[in-house]
Each structure stands twice: as structure tokens, then as C-alpha cells.
Amino acid sequence: MSAVQEPTQKNQGFFGNLAFNIVIPVVLMSYASSEDYLGSAWSIVAALSFPIGYGLWDLKESGKVNGFSVLGIISVLLTGGFSLLKLPAEYIAIKEAAIPGLIGIAVLITQYTNKPLVKILILNDQIINWPHLNQVLDAKNKQSEFKKKVAVSSYIVASSFFLSSALNYILAKMILVSEPGTTAYTEELGRMTALSYPVIVIPSMILLIAALWYLFAQIKKLTGEELDNFINQ
């Protein structure tokens, strides 16, 4: 029964993220921003309330503070605040670039600590049986070599966030061209949100998967064992 429930829960999480963070905000900002409906300001408030509400609900359900969820909520609040204050679109473009850029820098810095961020992103305890992996690496005297491989993957992961940062900025600059506070600007904000997945998320995910594949290959090579021996079932 649990084997059926786990994919179902993952699917619900994926579709929930898609609906509350992308689909509903895009629909509200694209089709409810005219003065005949909510207007530009209230459509932004309504649209951004969904990802904020979903993020807070997810934090409550998980029972622990997730740094990336918190960053997501802060990002949404900043977008709403900049838009409602009718600040120039440049502010949103900088904010869109800054958040993934800061994560990329954090990935590079933490690789020199005992807790590299890359382990949280792609090799966390839910995926890898770390006690067993460390035991095998110690037995084969491969810990230092493995740390070098983790460093390489950190560069790949960091590059994915730097790519996201650049694409975020370019996308915002290209799409947000109308006067802030207008219906056209709100519609453009919705269009930017809709395009963020195919334009930004997909290329970044390809690099993250590449980093994961690289580390999996190195684990198998360094330990001489099948990867399944180190995967949490």
C-alpha cells in the first residue's frame, strides 16, 4: 500500500506546486487585471496570495523550516511589494537574478565546509544512505577523493543557479516593459511567471540532473559497488 501512496503524494506535491505557484497566479494576472474585474493592484494581491499561502501550508505540513521554501515566500512578497509600490521593473529583474545567484554563491562557499549545500540539494539523507556510504569510503580510503568529486558537482550545481540568475534577469527585462501599476504591466508579470518554467527551470534542471548523474557514477566507481546498495529504499 505504501508503494502506491508515495508516488501519489509526490504527484500531488508536483501538481500542487504547479497549480498554486504558476497556473492560478498566471490566470489571475492575465485575465483578471482589467478594471472590469479585479484591477491591476488587486489581481497582483490575489495572484501572489496563492503561492504565499501554499508555501506557508507546505511549511506547516512538513513540520520543519525549509530554507528554499522561505526564500520562495520572500521572493513572492518582494515581487508583490515592488509591483504594488509601482517601482521600476528593474527592481524585479534584479530580485529575480539575485535569489538564484545568492544560492549559487552559497553552494560554492559551503563546499569548503563540513556540510556542502550540494548534499542537501541532490544527495540528501532521503536519497543516500550516508552511514553505509561513509563506511565503505572509509574502508577503501576514498573519502578525500570523494570530496573532490563532490566539489566538481558543486561547480555544476552552482552553474545551474548562475544560469537561472542570468535567464531570470533577461526574461524580466524582455517582458516587463509597460508602466508599473497598469493592466498591461500586470499581464506582463503573468506572462513572465508562465514562461519561467520552460525558459528557466528546464535548463537548470538539466544541469542539476547532470550533477546528480556524475555523483552517482563516482560513487559506483569509488566504492566498486552497485549504486542500489547506497540508495534509501
Side-chain angles (χ1 to χ4, degrees), residues 85-101:
L85 291 172
K86 300 180 181 180
L87 296 177
E90 182 74 16
Y91 283 79
I92 290 182
I94 293 173
K95 185 271 300 180
E96 290 291 310
I99 290 180

Side-chain angles (χ1 to χ4, degrees), residues 25-34 43 183 186-187 189-191 194:
V26 167
V27 170
L28 286 171
M29 287 188 286
S30 299
Y31 300 103
S33 58
S34 69
S43 64
T183 297
T186 304
E187 291 174 352
L189 202 58
R191 196 177 310 125

Side-chain angles (χ1 to χ4, degrees), residues 2-206:
S2 61
V4 176
Q5 288 177 343
E6 187 176 353
T8 302
Q9 290 171 350
K10 288 181 179 178
N11 286 336
Q12 288 174 345
F14 170 76
F15 287 117
N17 270 299
L18 189 64
F20 287 94
N21 292 322
I22 302 293
V23 177
I24 297 175
V26 167
V27 170
L28 286 171
M29 287 188 286
S30 299
Y31 300 103
S33 58
S34 69
E35 296 304 322
D36 295 333
Y37 295 99
L38 294 176
S40 60
W42 283 110
S43 64
I44 291 174
V45 172
L48 298 182
S49 67
F50 283 91
I52 292 173
Y54 184 78
L56 292 173
W57 174 83
D58 188 50
L59 287 174
K60 181 176 179 293
E61 287 295 304
S62 64
K64 57 183 180 181
V65 176
N66 183 306
F68 294 101
S69 295
V70 172
L71 272 178
I73 293 172
I74 292 172
S75 176
V76 170
L77 287 171
L78 287 175
T79 298
F82 293 160
S83 301
L84 294 174
L85 291 172
K86 300 180 181 180
L87 296 177
E90 182 74 16
Y91 283 79
I92 290 182
I94 293 173
K95 185 271 300 180
E96 290 291 310
I99 290 180
L102 289 172
I103 296 174
I105 293 171
V107 169
L108 294 179
I109 292 174
T110 58
Q111 71 168 312
Y112 299 104
T113 68
N114 292 327
K115 294 183 178 180
L117 189 55
V118 70
K119 288 186 177 181
I120 299 174
L121 292 170
I122 61 175
L123 278 187
N124 54 59
D125 294 338
Q126 295 177 334
I127 299 174
I128 295 294
N129 184 342
W130 278 104
H132 180 49
L133 176 58
N134 284 325
Q135 182 181 17
V136 175
L137 290 172
D138 287 336
K140 294 181 177 290
N141 197 26
K142 295 289 187 179
Q143 280 286 6
S144 61
E145 192 173 346
F146 180 67
K147 287 180 180 179
K148 294 178 182 177
K149 305 303 181 183
V150 172
V152 172
S153 70
S154 293
Y155 290 121
I156 300 174
V157 171
S159 69
S160 76
F161 285 106
F162 293 142
L163 174 64
S164 176
S165 177
L167 292 175
N168 271 337
Y169 184 82
I170 293 169
L171 190 66
K173 291 292 288 183
M174 288 179 62
I175 293 179
L176 300 177
V177 295
S178 298
E179 188 70 24
T182 63
T183 297
Y185 180 84
T186 304
E187 291 174 352
E188 289 165 2
L189 202 58
R191 196 177 310 125
M192 185 185 76
T193 304
L195 289 173
S196 64
Y197 256 57
V199 173
I200 297 166
V201 175
I202 293 176
S204 299
M205 283 301 298
I206 291 173

